[in-house]
């Protein structure tokens, strides 16, 4: 059974940093691209970033480019999202998803950016 | 960016009756391989989104056959042949060909 479990969310002040993790199981992690999407009540679902199966290529939404970094550790079957220079508007539930077509989703991790 | 426009945004339906959601993209979603990368997702209250349909009309594993997808180019439709109580939630379309990936605004399906 495919499982994606996010962790690392929480409350952080504007300008701060946070790293999200997504532990994958039930499939060959190294064979799949992986992605992050976020959801807010006001902006709905917003794609954030995707990384190819070998980690060689990454894609970012303009809203996070230069501040967020997606990465993966195949030895740990884990996807990461390093979030720096956080803004109030980054407040959202962050989901990891398998591939850029999101055939599986995690349960989400809430990130709150507030002073 | 490719804009995905859904309608209606709210859809009250009677149990056992059909429902239909439209999704239009501002650009063609046909990839060079000939496939069209349009996905549909369901988000039940309090849950993560779940993919129902990929490449316009292919149901994901475990998705009831009352759900069907159709369309081509820039115009797509999700249909529920007979709405059941468990179908309540928000439905999103998403294009999977252009960067950035983009989602529709969501259609809230509720029971009358």
């Amino acid at each position: 059974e495919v499982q994606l479990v996010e962790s690392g969310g929480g409350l952080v002040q504007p300008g701060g940093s946070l790293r999200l993790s997504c532990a994958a199981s039930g499939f060959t992690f190294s064979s799949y691209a992986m992605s992050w999407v976020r959801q807010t009540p006001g902006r709905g679902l917003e794609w954030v970033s995707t990384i190819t199966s070998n980690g060689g290529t990454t894609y970012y939404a303009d809203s996070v480019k230069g501040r967020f970094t997606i990465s993966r550790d195949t030895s740990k079957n884990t996807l990461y999202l390093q979030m720096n220079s956080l803004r109030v508007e980054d407040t959202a539930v962050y989901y990891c998803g398998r591939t850029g077509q999101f055939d599986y989703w995690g349960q989400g991790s809430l990130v709150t950016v507030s002073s | 960016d490719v804009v995905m426009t859904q309608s209606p945004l709210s859809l009250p339906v009677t149990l056992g009756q059909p429902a239909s959601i439209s999704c239009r993209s501002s650009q063609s979603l046909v990839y060079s391989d000939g496939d069209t990368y349009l996905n549909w997702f369901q988000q039940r209250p309090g849950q993560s989104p779940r993919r129902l349909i990929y490449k316009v009309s292919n149901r994901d594993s475990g998705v009831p056959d009352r759900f069907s997808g159709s369309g081509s180019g820039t115009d797509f439709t999700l249909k529920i042949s007979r709405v059941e109580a468990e179908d309540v939630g928000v439905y999103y379309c998403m294009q999977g060909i252009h960067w950035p990936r983009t989602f529709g605004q969501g259609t809230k399906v509720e029971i009358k």
Side-chain angles (χ1 to χ4, degrees):
Chain A
E1 178 194 6
V2 172
Q3 284 201 321
L4 300 171
V5 180
E6 299 96 336
S7 61
L11 174 63
V12 61
Q13 291 188 337
S17 297
L18 213 55
R19 187 177 81 158
L20 300 181
S21 300
C22 170
S25 61
F27 64 100
T28 304
F29 181 69
S30 59
S31 296
Y32 290 86
M34 297 293 295
S35 300
W36 290 97
V37 163
R38 64 188 181 184
Q39 184 171 34
T40 63
R43 297 197 306 272
L45 289 168
E46 179 187 14
W47 169 81
V48 173
S49 183
T50 295
I51 186 168
T52 53
S53 58
N54 64 4
T57 303
T58 56
Y59 304 87
Y60 296 96
D62 285 347
S63 58
V64 307
K65 201 172 295 182
R67 300 187 299 122
F68 289 13
T69 302
I70 190 171
S71 62
R72 61 193 300 158
D73 185 336
T74 299
S75 68
K76 295 181 179 179
N77 284 354
T78 301
L79 174 73
Y80 301 101
L81 185 68
Q82 177 66 44
M83 304 184 292
N84 298 331
S85 303
L86 282 161
R87 305 168 180 167
V88 170
E89 56 265 33
D90 295 319
T91 295
V93 175
Y94 285 73
Y95 296 99
C96 65
R98 195 174 77 164
T99 78
Q101 309 297 334
F102 297 95
D103 57 350
Y104 288 93
W105 296 62
Q107 86 287 353
S109 184
L110 176 61
V111 172
T112 302
V113 184
S114 174
S115 54
Chain B
D1 297 358
V2 176
V3 177
M4 305 297 290
T5 304
Q6 289 183 229
S7 64
L9 299 185
S10 179
L11 184 56
V13 295
T14 301
L15 287 173
Q17 293 300 302
S20 180
I21 301 170
S22 170
C23 175
R24 290 191 170 135
S25 60
S26 61
Q27 297 180 32
S28 172
L29 302 185
V30 181
Y31 191 52
S32 55
D33 62 5
D35 283 330
T36 301
Y37 287 81
L38 185 282
N39 303 314
W40 287 99
F41 299 89
Q42 174 195 61
Q43 187 173 30
R44 292 171 170 154
Q47 295 186 11
S48 304
R50 161 202 182 196
R51 197 177 72 178
L52 296 177
I53 302 282
Y54 64 96
K55 288 195 249 182
V56 180
S57 59
N58 297 277
R59 274 190 303 276
D60 275 280
S61 176
V63 174
D65 60 8
R66 65 178 179 275
F67 290 94
S68 64
S70 63
S72 62
T74 62
D75 202 346
F76 307 94
T77 302
L78 175 70
K79 291 182 179 176
I80 310 174
S81 59
R82 295 173 304 279
V83 171
E84 297 188 6
E86 66 179 17
D87 300 335
V88 164
V90 182
Y91 292 78
Y92 299 90
C93 60
M94 187 207 87
Q95 61 85 11
I97 174 179
H98 301 281
W99 300 104
R101 302 290 193 243
T102 47
F103 292 84
Q105 318 96 300
T107 296
K108 187 173 185 178
V109 172
E110 57 184 10
I111 304 301
K112 280 183 186 175

